[in-house]
Amino acid sequence: MIEFYDVKSRAKVSLGEADVSKVTYESTTKAGAVQVRYALRGNYDGRKLTKFVSKDTWDSLNVATA
């Protein structure tokens, strides 16, 4: 179970690994370097939830990559 925070209901929500996918967000800094952020995306009551995690946590999870 992976815990997310649902902003609309203002409560923590636990989702199974079947409802979660891994994503990366890349952005370019002013200096031209590429910054990569690792996140987990989940669906709960028709809403998409996002949780940012470390690279180690992202690599250790056995879920599908979106």
Side-chain angles (χ1 to χ4, degrees), residues 40-63:
L40 302 174
R41 295 287 306 240
N43 289 321
Y44 178 74
D45 279 347
R47 295 187 295 273
K48 295 185 188 272
L49 305 175
T50 303
K51 178 179 183 175
F52 290 97
V53 295
S54 67
K55 182 171 179 3
D56 294 333
T57 303
W58 194 83
D59 287 334
S60 68
L61 289 173
N62 222 5
V63 296

Side-chain angles (χ1 to χ4, degrees), residues 15-39:
L15 298 177
E17 291 185 2
D19 299 324
V20 177
S21 63
K22 298 193 286 188
V23 293
T24 58
Y25 295 101
E26 294 183 4
S27 62
T28 306
T29 63
K30 289 181 181 180
V34 176
Q35 179 183 16
V36 179
R37 296 193 69 191
Y38 299 92

